[in-house]
Amino acid sequence: MSFLPGPVVPGASTPTTTGAPMTAIDVTGARTPEAADVITGARDRIDALDDRIIGLIQERVAVSAVIQEARITSGGRRVNLSREMEILDHYRQALGRPGTSLAMTLLELCRGRV
């Protein structure tokens, strides 16, 4: 998310909280207008991807709640540790060691702390 209102147009000035104009180069840290264009476009794409990722996580949380409810209703435990180990391994294999941390965070979001 940009801290500036509206889209950043390279070369255009945008007011800052101090009243001084801020250009796309200032916002992106680029040293040329061309690089600022690339960075601005890539940041827009990242923002769109983040929105999709958040939506998918919210969907995963909802599906996990259905699974937990079915498991509890049938007399089972809320959490299936062997399944969680499979998920941790899947993320580790796909993303390396940081994938395990990401998977742990997802599991925590989906089931809360155990």
Side-chain angles (χ1 to χ4, degrees):
M1 287 193 336
S2 176
F3 60 91
L4 297 173
V8 175
V9 178
S13 295
T14 305
T16 64
T17 55
T18 62
M22 188 171 227
T23 66
I25 292 175
D26 296 331
V27 174
T28 64
R31 297 199 181 256
T32 66
E34 294 79 16
D37 286 344
V38 170
I39 292 168
T40 299
R43 284 182 177 173
D44 289 344
R45 180 75 176 126
I46 285 174
D47 290 345
L49 289 168
D50 285 344
D51 288 343
R52 287 175 47 201
I53 291 167
I54 290 166
L56 289 170
I57 291 169
Q58 290 169 333
E59 183 178 350
R60 190 187 195 288
V61 168
V63 171
S64 182
V66 169
I67 292 168
Q68 289 176 44
E69 179 64 28
R71 193 179 297 124
I72 292 167
T73 300
S74 71
R77 301 178 69 197
R78 179 171 64 103
V79 175
N80 181 335
L81 295 178
S82 63
R83 174 64 177 148
E84 288 195 357
M85 294 305 292
E86 290 175 17
I87 293 166
L88 291 169
D89 187 53
H90 179 73
Y91 274 76
R92 184 189 52 76
Q93 286 183 25
L95 302 172
R97 195 164 136 177
T100 303
S101 297
L102 177 59
M104 286 297 296
T105 299
L106 278 172
L107 291 171
E108 185 177 333
L109 283 168
C110 290
R111 53 126 162 95
R113 291 188 182 266
V114 177

Short mmCIF file of all heavy atoms in Angstrom, two decimals, residues 7-73:
data_model
loop_
_atom_site.label_atom_id
_atom_site.label_comp_id
_atom_site.label_asym_id
_atom_site.label_seq_id
_atom_site.Cartn_x
_atom_site.Cartn_y
_atom_site.Cartn_z
N PRO A 7 -2.62 7.35 -7.39
CA PRO A 7 -1.47 6.75 -8.05
C PRO A 7 -0.30 7.71 -8.11
O PRO A 7 -0.47 8.93 -8.12
CB PRO A 7 -1.99 6.44 -9.45
CG PRO A 7 -3.10 7.41 -9.66
CD PRO A 7 -3.71 7.65 -8.30
N VAL A 8 0.89 7.15 -8.13
CA VAL A 8 2.10 7.95 -8.26
C VAL A 8 2.43 8.03 -9.74
O VAL A 8 2.56 7.02 -10.41
CB VAL A 8 3.28 7.31 -7.49
CG1 VAL A 8 4.55 8.08 -7.73
CG2 VAL A 8 2.95 7.23 -6.01
N VAL A 9 2.53 9.21 -10.25
CA VAL A 9 2.85 9.42 -11.64
C VAL A 9 4.27 9.91 -11.72
O VAL A 9 4.60 10.96 -11.16
CB VAL A 9 1.89 10.46 -12.28
CG1 VAL A 9 2.26 10.70 -13.73
CG2 VAL A 9 0.46 10.03 -12.14
N PRO A 10 5.16 9.13 -12.36
CA PRO A 10 6.56 9.55 -12.45
C PRO A 10 6.68 10.96 -13.01
O PRO A 10 6.04 11.31 -13.98
CB PRO A 10 7.18 8.52 -13.40
CG PRO A 10 6.31 7.31 -13.24
CD PRO A 10 4.93 7.87 -13.02
N GLY A 11 7.51 11.73 -12.34
CA GLY A 11 7.74 13.10 -12.76
C GLY A 11 6.73 14.09 -12.20
O GLY A 11 6.95 15.29 -12.22
N ALA A 12 5.59 13.60 -11.70
CA ALA A 12 4.58 14.48 -11.13
C ALA A 12 4.89 14.72 -9.67
O ALA A 12 5.51 13.91 -9.01
CB ALA A 12 3.20 13.86 -11.27
N SER A 13 4.47 15.83 -9.17
CA SER A 13 4.69 16.16 -7.77
C SER A 13 3.48 15.77 -6.94
O SER A 13 2.35 15.93 -7.38
CB SER A 13 4.94 17.65 -7.60
OG SER A 13 6.14 18.00 -8.24
N THR A 14 3.74 15.26 -5.76
CA THR A 14 2.69 14.90 -4.82
C THR A 14 3.01 15.60 -3.51
O THR A 14 4.15 15.56 -3.05
CB THR A 14 2.67 13.37 -4.60
OG1 THR A 14 2.55 12.73 -5.87
CG2 THR A 14 1.54 12.95 -3.70
N PRO A 15 2.03 16.24 -2.88
CA PRO A 15 2.32 16.94 -1.64
C PRO A 15 2.65 15.94 -0.52
O PRO A 15 2.10 14.86 -0.45
CB PRO A 15 1.05 17.71 -1.33
CG PRO A 15 -0.01 17.07 -2.16
CD PRO A 15 0.66 16.39 -3.29
N THR A 16 3.59 16.32 0.33
CA THR A 16 3.93 15.50 1.49
C THR A 16 3.31 16.15 2.72
O THR A 16 2.69 17.20 2.63
CB THR A 16 5.46 15.43 1.68
OG1 THR A 16 5.94 16.75 1.96
CG2 THR A 16 6.14 14.88 0.45
N THR A 17 3.50 15.54 3.87
CA THR A 17 2.96 16.11 5.10
C THR A 17 3.64 17.43 5.43
O THR A 17 3.08 18.25 6.15
CB THR A 17 3.13 15.13 6.28
OG1 THR A 17 4.50 14.77 6.38
CG2 THR A 17 2.27 13.90 6.08
N THR A 18 4.82 17.66 4.89
CA THR A 18 5.51 18.93 5.15
C THR A 18 5.15 19.97 4.11
O THR A 18 5.57 21.11 4.22
CB THR A 18 7.04 18.73 5.13
OG1 THR A 18 7.44 18.28 3.83
CG2 THR A 18 7.48 17.75 6.20
N GLY A 19 4.39 19.58 3.09
CA GLY A 19 3.99 20.52 2.06
C GLY A 19 4.93 20.54 0.87
O GLY A 19 4.62 21.10 -0.15
N ALA A 20 6.11 19.93 1.00
CA ALA A 20 7.06 19.90 -0.11
C ALA A 20 6.61 18.85 -1.12
O ALA A 20 6.12 17.80 -0.74
CB ALA A 20 8.45 19.57 0.41
N PRO A 21 6.76 19.15 -2.41
CA PRO A 21 6.35 18.15 -3.40
C PRO A 21 7.26 16.93 -3.36
O PRO A 21 8.45 17.02 -3.10
CB PRO A 21 6.49 18.89 -4.73
CG PRO A 21 7.43 20.01 -4.46
CD PRO A 21 7.29 20.35 -3.01
N MET A 22 6.65 15.76 -3.60
CA MET A 22 7.41 14.52 -3.60
C MET A 22 7.22 13.87 -4.97
O MET A 22 6.09 13.69 -5.42
CB MET A 22 6.89 13.60 -2.49
CG MET A 22 7.70 12.40 -2.26
SD MET A 22 7.11 11.59 -0.77
CE MET A 22 8.64 11.30 0.03
N THR A 23 8.29 13.52 -5.64
CA THR A 23 8.20 12.91 -6.95
C THR A 23 8.22 11.39 -6.83
O THR A 23 8.52 10.84 -5.77
CB THR A 23 9.37 13.35 -7.84
OG1 THR A 23 10.58 12.83 -7.29
CG2 THR A 23 9.46 14.87 -7.95
N ALA A 24 7.92 10.72 -7.94
CA ALA A 24 7.95 9.26 -7.96
C ALA A 24 9.34 8.75 -7.63
O ALA A 24 9.50 7.71 -7.00
CB ALA A 24 7.50 8.74 -9.31
N ILE A 25 10.34 9.50 -8.04
CA ILE A 25 11.71 9.10 -7.73
C ILE A 25 11.93 9.13 -6.23
O ILE A 25 12.53 8.21 -5.66
CB ILE A 25 12.73 10.00 -8.49
CG1 ILE A 25 12.63 9.70 -9.99
CG2 ILE A 25 14.14 9.78 -7.98
CD1 ILE A 25 13.47 10.59 -10.86
N ASP A 26 11.42 10.16 -5.54
CA ASP A 26 11.54 10.23 -4.09
C ASP A 26 10.85 9.04 -3.42
O ASP A 26 11.37 8.44 -2.49
CB ASP A 26 10.92 11.51 -3.54
CG ASP A 26 11.62 12.77 -4.01
OD1 ASP A 26 12.84 12.72 -4.28
OD2 ASP A 26 10.94 13.81 -4.12
N VAL A 27 9.67 8.70 -3.89
CA VAL A 27 8.86 7.64 -3.30
C VAL A 27 9.49 6.27 -3.51
O VAL A 27 9.46 5.43 -2.63
CB VAL A 27 7.42 7.67 -3.89
CG1 VAL A 27 6.61 6.49 -3.40
CG2 VAL A 27 6.73 8.96 -3.52
N THR A 28 10.07 6.04 -4.66
CA THR A 28 10.61 4.72 -4.99
C THR A 28 12.06 4.53 -4.59
O THR A 28 12.53 3.41 -4.48
CB THR A 28 10.52 4.45 -6.51
OG1 THR A 28 11.34 5.40 -7.19
CG2 THR A 28 9.08 4.51 -6.99
N GLY A 29 12.77 5.61 -4.42
CA GLY A 29 14.20 5.51 -4.14
C GLY A 29 15.03 5.33 -5.40
O GLY A 29 16.24 5.13 -5.34
N ALA A 30 14.37 5.38 -6.56
CA ALA A 30 15.08 5.23 -7.83
C ALA A 30 15.88 6.48 -8.14
O ALA A 30 15.62 7.55 -7.61
CB ALA A 30 14.07 4.97 -8.95
N ARG A 31 16.82 6.33 -9.03
CA ARG A 31 17.64 7.48 -9.42
C ARG A 31 17.31 8.03 -10.79
O ARG A 31 17.83 9.05 -11.20
CB ARG A 31 19.11 7.11 -9.35
CG ARG A 31 19.53 6.76 -7.93
CD ARG A 31 21.02 6.85 -7.78
NE ARG A 31 21.42 6.49 -6.44
CZ ARG A 31 21.79 7.37 -5.53
NH1 ARG A 31 21.81 8.65 -5.82
NH2 ARG A 31 22.16 6.97 -4.34
N THR A 32 16.40 7.31 -11.51
CA THR A 32 15.98 7.80 -12.82
C THR A 32 14.47 7.64 -12.94
O THR A 32 13.88 6.76 -12.29
CB THR A 32 16.65 7.00 -13.97
OG1 THR A 32 16.17 5.65 -13.93
CG2 THR A 32 18.16 7.05 -13.87
N PRO A 33 13.83 8.44 -13.78
CA PRO A 33 12.39 8.28 -14.00
C PRO A 33 12.04 6.90 -14.56
O PRO A 33 10.99 6.34 -14.22
CB PRO A 33 12.04 9.38 -14.99
CG PRO A 33 13.12 10.40 -14.83
CD PRO A 33 14.36 9.64 -14.45
N GLU A 34 12.92 6.35 -15.39
CA GLU A 34 12.65 5.03 -15.97
C GLU A 34 12.61 3.96 -14.88
O GLU A 34 11.73 3.10 -14.86
CB GLU A 34 13.72 4.68 -17.02
CG GLU A 34 13.70 5.56 -18.25
CD GLU A 34 14.37 6.92 -18.03
OE1 GLU A 34 15.12 7.11 -17.04
OE2 GLU A 34 14.13 7.81 -18.86
N ALA A 35 13.58 4.02 -13.98
CA ALA A 35 13.61 3.05 -12.87
C ALA A 35 12.40 3.26 -11.96
O ALA A 35 11.81 2.30 -11.47
CB ALA A 35 14.91 3.18 -12.08
N ALA A 36 12.01 4.51 -11.76
CA ALA A 36 10.83 4.80 -10.94
C ALA A 36 9.58 4.19 -11.57
O ALA A 36 8.72 3.65 -10.86
CB ALA A 36 10.65 6.31 -10.75
N ASP A 37 9.49 4.24 -12.90
CA ASP A 37 8.35 3.62 -13.61
C ASP A 37 8.32 2.11 -13.36
O ASP A 37 7.28 1.54 -13.07
CB ASP A 37 8.44 3.86 -15.12
CG ASP A 37 8.09 5.28 -15.52
OD1 ASP A 37 7.49 6.00 -14.70
OD2 ASP A 37 8.42 5.65 -16.66
N VAL A 38 9.46 1.47 -13.48
CA VAL A 38 9.55 0.02 -13.26
C VAL A 38 9.16 -0.32 -11.84
O VAL A 38 8.35 -1.23 -11.59
CB VAL A 38 10.97 -0.49 -13.58
CG1 VAL A 38 11.15 -1.94 -13.13
CG2 VAL A 38 11.28 -0.35 -15.06
N ILE A 39 9.70 0.41 -10.89
CA ILE A 39 9.43 0.14 -9.47
C ILE A 39 7.96 0.37 -9.15
O ILE A 39 7.32 -0.45 -8.47
CB ILE A 39 10.34 0.99 -8.57
CG1 ILE A 39 11.79 0.52 -8.73
CG2 ILE A 39 9.89 0.95 -7.12
CD1 ILE A 39 12.83 1.46 -8.13
N THR A 40 7.39 1.45 -9.65
CA THR A 40 5.99 1.75 -9.39
C THR A 40 5.09 0.66 -9.95
O THR A 40 4.18 0.17 -9.26
CB THR A 40 5.60 3.12 -9.98
OG1 THR A 40 6.40 4.13 -9.36
CG2 THR A 40 4.14 3.43 -9.76
N GLY A 41 5.36 0.22 -11.17
CA GLY A 41 4.57 -0.87 -11.77
C GLY A 41 4.72 -2.18 -11.00
O GLY A 41 3.74 -2.89 -10.77
N ALA A 42 5.95 -2.49 -10.59
CA ALA A 42 6.19 -3.72 -9.85
C ALA A 42 5.52 -3.66 -8.47
O ALA A 42 4.97 -4.66 -7.99
CB ALA A 42 7.69 -3.97 -9.71
N ARG A 43 5.54 -2.50 -7.84
CA ARG A 43 4.87 -2.36 -6.54
C ARG A 43 3.36 -2.53 -6.67
O ARG A 43 2.72 -3.14 -5.81
CB ARG A 43 5.19 -1.01 -5.92
CG ARG A 43 6.58 -0.95 -5.33
CD ARG A 43 6.84 0.38 -4.69
NE ARG A 43 8.14 0.41 -4.06
CZ ARG A 43 8.69 1.50 -3.54
NH1 ARG A 43 8.03 2.65 -3.59
NH2 ARG A 43 9.88 1.44 -2.98
N ASP A 44 2.80 -2.01 -7.75
CA ASP A 44 1.37 -2.21 -8.00
C ASP A 44 1.06 -3.69 -8.13
O ASP A 44 0.06 -4.18 -7.61
CB ASP A 44 0.92 -1.46 -9.25
CG ASP A 44 0.90 0.05 -9.08
OD1 ASP A 44 0.94 0.53 -7.92
OD2 ASP A 44 0.85 0.75 -10.11
N ARG A 45 1.92 -4.41 -8.84
CA ARG A 45 1.74 -5.86 -9.02
C ARG A 45 1.85 -6.58 -7.68
O ARG A 45 1.07 -7.48 -7.38
CB ARG A 45 2.77 -6.39 -10.02
CG ARG A 45 2.69 -7.85 -10.28
CD ARG A 45 1.51 -8.19 -11.18
NE ARG A 45 1.55 -9.61 -11.47
CZ ARG A 45 0.54 -10.43 -11.27
NH1 ARG A 45 -0.60 -9.99 -10.82
NH2 ARG A 45 0.66 -11.70 -11.53
N ILE A 46 2.82 -6.20 -6.85
CA ILE A 46 2.98 -6.80 -5.52
C ILE A 46 1.75 -6.54 -4.67
O ILE A 46 1.25 -7.44 -3.98
CB ILE A 46 4.26 -6.28 -4.83
CG1 ILE A 46 5.48 -6.95 -5.46
CG2 ILE A 46 4.22 -6.54 -3.33
CD1 ILE A 46 6.82 -6.43 -4.97
N ASP A 47 1.23 -5.31 -4.72
CA ASP A 47 0.01 -5.00 -3.95
C ASP A 47 -1.15 -5.88 -4.39
O ASP A 47 -1.91 -6.39 -3.56
CB ASP A 47 -0.37 -3.52 -4.11
CG ASP A 47 0.60 -2.59 -3.38
OD1 ASP A 47 1.39 -3.07 -2.55
OD2 ASP A 47 0.57 -1.38 -3.69
N ALA A 48 -1.29 -6.10 -5.70
CA ALA A 48 -2.36 -6.96 -6.21
C ALA A 48 -2.14 -8.41 -5.77
O ALA A 48 -3.09 -9.09 -5.37
CB ALA A 48 -2.43 -6.87 -7.74
N LEU A 49 -0.90 -8.87 -5.83
CA LEU A 49 -0.60 -10.23 -5.37
C LEU A 49 -0.88 -10.38 -3.88
O LEU A 49 -1.44 -11.40 -3.44
CB LEU A 49 0.86 -10.58 -5.67
CG LEU A 49 1.20 -10.80 -7.14
CD1 LEU A 49 2.71 -10.84 -7.34
CD2 LEU A 49 0.55 -12.08 -7.65
N ASP A 50 -0.49 -9.39 -3.09
CA ASP A 50 -0.75 -9.44 -1.65
C ASP A 50 -2.25 -9.52 -1.37
O ASP A 50 -2.68 -10.28 -0.50
CB ASP A 50 -0.16 -8.22 -0.93
CG ASP A 50 1.36 -8.32 -0.78
OD1 ASP A 50 1.91 -9.43 -0.93
OD2 ASP A 50 1.98 -7.28 -0.50
N ASP A 51 -3.05 -8.78 -2.12
CA ASP A 51 -4.50 -8.85 -1.94
C ASP A 51 -5.02 -10.25 -2.24
O ASP A 51 -5.88 -10.78 -1.52
CB ASP A 51 -5.22 -7.82 -2.83
CG ASP A 51 -5.04 -6.39 -2.34
OD1 ASP A 51 -4.66 -6.19 -1.18
OD2 ASP A 51 -5.28 -5.47 -3.15
N ARG A 52 -4.50 -10.88 -3.29
CA ARG A 52 -4.91 -12.24 -3.63
C ARG A 52 -4.46 -13.22 -2.55
O ARG A 52 -5.22 -14.13 -2.18
CB ARG A 52 -4.34 -12.64 -4.99
CG ARG A 52 -5.04 -11.95 -6.14
CD ARG A 52 -4.45 -12.22 -7.50
NE ARG A 52 -4.18 -13.62 -7.76
CZ ARG A 52 -3.32 -14.03 -8.70
NH1 ARG A 52 -2.66 -13.16 -9.44
NH2 ARG A 52 -3.13 -15.30 -8.90
N ILE A 53 -3.23 -13.07 -2.07
CA ILE A 53 -2.71 -13.96 -1.02
C ILE A 53 -3.56 -13.85 0.23
O ILE A 53 -3.94 -14.86 0.84
CB ILE A 53 -1.23 -13.65 -0.73
CG1 ILE A 53 -0.36 -14.06 -1.93
CG2 ILE A 53 -0.76 -14.34 0.55
CD1 ILE A 53 1.06 -13.52 -1.88
N ILE A 54 -3.90 -12.64 0.63
CA ILE A 54 -4.74 -12.43 1.81
C ILE A 54 -6.09 -13.09 1.62
O ILE A 54 -6.61 -13.77 2.52
CB ILE A 54 -4.88 -10.92 2.13
CG1 ILE A 54 -3.55 -10.38 2.65
CG2 ILE A 54 -6.00 -10.67 3.14
CD1 ILE A 54 -3.46 -8.87 2.68
N GLY A 55 -6.68 -12.94 0.45
CA GLY A 55 -7.96 -13.59 0.16
C GLY A 55 -7.86 -15.10 0.25
O GLY A 55 -8.75 -15.78 0.80
N LEU A 56 -6.78 -15.67 -0.28
CA LEU A 56 -6.58 -17.11 -0.22
C LEU A 56 -6.38 -17.58 1.22
O LEU A 56 -6.89 -18.64 1.61
CB LEU A 56 -5.39 -17.53 -1.08
CG LEU A 56 -5.61 -17.43 -2.59
CD1 LEU A 56 -4.30 -17.63 -3.34
CD2 LEU A 56 -6.65 -18.44 -3.04
N ILE A 57 -5.68 -16.80 2.01
CA ILE A 57 -5.50 -17.17 3.42
C ILE A 57 -6.84 -17.15 4.14
O ILE A 57 -7.15 -18.05 4.92
CB ILE A 57 -4.47 -16.24 4.11
CG1 ILE A 57 -3.07 -16.51 3.55
CG2 ILE A 57 -4.49 -16.42 5.63
CD1 ILE A 57 -2.03 -15.49 3.96
N GLN A 58 -7.64 -16.13 3.88
CA GLN A 58 -8.96 -16.07 4.50
C GLN A 58 -9.81 -17.27 4.09
O GLN A 58 -10.53 -17.85 4.91
CB GLN A 58 -9.65 -14.75 4.14
CG GLN A 58 -9.01 -13.55 4.79
CD GLN A 58 -9.49 -12.22 4.24
OE1 GLN A 58 -9.91 -12.12 3.10
NE2 GLN A 58 -9.43 -11.19 5.07
N GLU A 59 -9.72 -17.67 2.83
CA GLU A 59 -10.43 -18.86 2.37
C GLU A 59 -9.91 -20.12 3.07
O GLU A 59 -10.69 -20.99 3.48
CB GLU A 59 -10.29 -18.99 0.85
CG GLU A 59 -11.05 -20.14 0.26
CD GLU A 59 -10.93 -20.21 -1.27
OE1 GLU A 59 -10.42 -19.26 -1.89
OE2 GLU A 59 -11.36 -21.24 -1.82
N ARG A 60 -8.59 -20.21 3.23
CA ARG A 60 -7.99 -21.37 3.91
C ARG A 60 -8.46 -21.44 5.36
O ARG A 60 -8.74 -22.52 5.88
CB ARG A 60 -6.47 -21.27 3.85
CG ARG A 60 -5.77 -22.53 4.32
CD ARG A 60 -4.26 -22.34 4.40
NE ARG A 60 -3.55 -23.57 4.51
CZ ARG A 60 -3.52 -24.34 5.60
NH1 ARG A 60 -4.19 -23.98 6.67
NH2 ARG A 60 -2.82 -25.46 5.62
N VAL A 61 -8.55 -20.30 6.03
CA VAL A 61 -9.03 -20.27 7.42
C VAL A 61 -10.46 -20.81 7.48
O VAL A 61 -10.80 -21.61 8.37
CB VAL A 61 -8.95 -18.83 7.99
CG1 VAL A 61 -9.71 -18.72 9.30
CG2 VAL A 61 -7.50 -18.41 8.17
N ALA A 62 -11.31 -20.41 6.54
CA ALA A 62 -12.70 -20.86 6.53
C ALA A 62 -12.79 -22.36 6.28
O ALA A 62 -13.56 -23.07 6.94
CB ALA A 62 -13.49 -20.09 5.48
N VAL A 63 -12.02 -22.88 5.34
CA VAL A 63 -12.03 -24.31 5.05
C VAL A 63 -11.50 -25.10 6.24
O VAL A 63 -12.05 -26.14 6.61
CB VAL A 63 -11.22 -24.63 3.77
CG1 VAL A 63 -11.05 -26.13 3.57
CG2 VAL A 63 -11.88 -23.99 2.56
N SER A 64 -10.48 -24.59 6.87
CA SER A 64 -9.92 -25.25 8.06
C SER A 64 -10.96 -25.33 9.18
O SER A 64 -11.06 -26.34 9.89
CB SER A 64 -8.68 -24.50 8.54
OG SER A 64 -8.10 -25.15 9.65
N ALA A 65 -11.76 -24.28 9.33
CA ALA A 65 -12.81 -24.28 10.36
C ALA A 65 -13.84 -25.38 10.09
O ALA A 65 -14.31 -26.04 11.02
CB ALA A 65 -13.49 -22.91 10.41
N VAL A 66 -14.16 -25.60 8.82
CA VAL A 66 -15.10 -26.67 8.46
C VAL A 66 -14.51 -28.03 8.84
O VAL A 66 -15.19 -28.88 9.42
CB VAL A 66 -15.43 -26.62 6.94
CG1 VAL A 66 -16.18 -27.86 6.49
CG2 VAL A 66 -16.21 -25.36 6.61
N ILE A 67 -13.24 -28.23 8.54
CA ILE A 67 -12.56 -29.49 8.87
C ILE A 67 -12.54 -29.70 10.39
O ILE A 67 -12.87 -30.79 10.88
CB ILE A 67 -11.13 -29.51 8.29
CG1 ILE A 67 -11.19 -29.56 6.76
CG2 ILE A 67 -10.32 -30.68 8.86
CD1 ILE A 67 -9.86 -29.30 6.08
N GLN A 68 -12.16 -28.67 11.12
CA GLN A 68 -12.10 -28.79 12.58
C GLN A 68 -13.46 -29.11 13.17
O GLN A 68 -13.58 -29.96 14.06
CB GLN A 68 -11.54 -27.51 13.19
CG GLN A 68 -10.07 -27.30 12.92
CD GLN A 68 -9.57 -25.99 13.46
OE1 GLN A 68 -9.90 -25.62 14.59
NE2 GLN A 68 -8.78 -25.28 12.68
N GLU A 69 -14.49 -28.45 12.68
CA GLU A 69 -15.84 -28.69 13.18
C GLU A 69 -16.26 -30.14 12.92
O GLU A 69 -16.82 -30.80 13.80
CB GLU A 69 -16.83 -27.72 12.54
CG GLU A 69 -18.26 -27.91 12.99
CD GLU A 69 -18.49 -27.65 14.47
OE1 GLU A 69 -17.74 -26.83 15.06
OE2 GLU A 69 -19.41 -28.25 15.04
N ALA A 70 -15.99 -30.64 11.72
CA ALA A 70 -16.34 -32.02 11.39
C ALA A 70 -15.57 -33.00 12.27
O ALA A 70 -16.12 -33.99 12.75
CB ALA A 70 -16.06 -32.29 9.91
N ARG A 71 -14.31 -32.72 12.50
CA ARG A 71 -13.49 -33.60 13.32
C ARG A 71 -13.99 -33.61 14.76
O ARG A 71 -14.15 -34.68 15.37
CB ARG A 71 -12.02 -33.15 13.27
CG ARG A 71 -11.07 -34.19 13.84
CD ARG A 71 -9.61 -33.78 13.78
NE ARG A 71 -9.15 -33.60 12.41
CZ ARG A 71 -8.60 -32.49 11.96
NH1 ARG A 71 -8.44 -31.44 12.75
NH2 ARG A 71 -8.18 -32.40 10.71
N ILE A 72 -14.28 -32.45 15.32
CA ILE A 72 -14.75 -32.35 16.70
C ILE A 72 -16.13 -32.99 16.85
O ILE A 72 -16.38 -33.74 17.80
CB ILE A 72 -14.76 -30.88 17.16
CG1 ILE A 72 -13.32 -30.36 17.29
CG2 ILE A 72 -15.50 -30.71 18.48
CD1 ILE A 72 -13.20 -28.86 17.43
N THR A 73 -17.01 -32.72 15.90
CA THR A 73 -18.36 -33.27 15.94
C THR A 73 -18.33 -34.80 15.92
O THR A 73 -19.17 -35.46 16.53
CB THR A 73 -19.20 -32.73 14.76
OG1 THR A 73 -19.26 -31.32 14.86
CG2 THR A 73 -20.60 -33.29 14.76
#
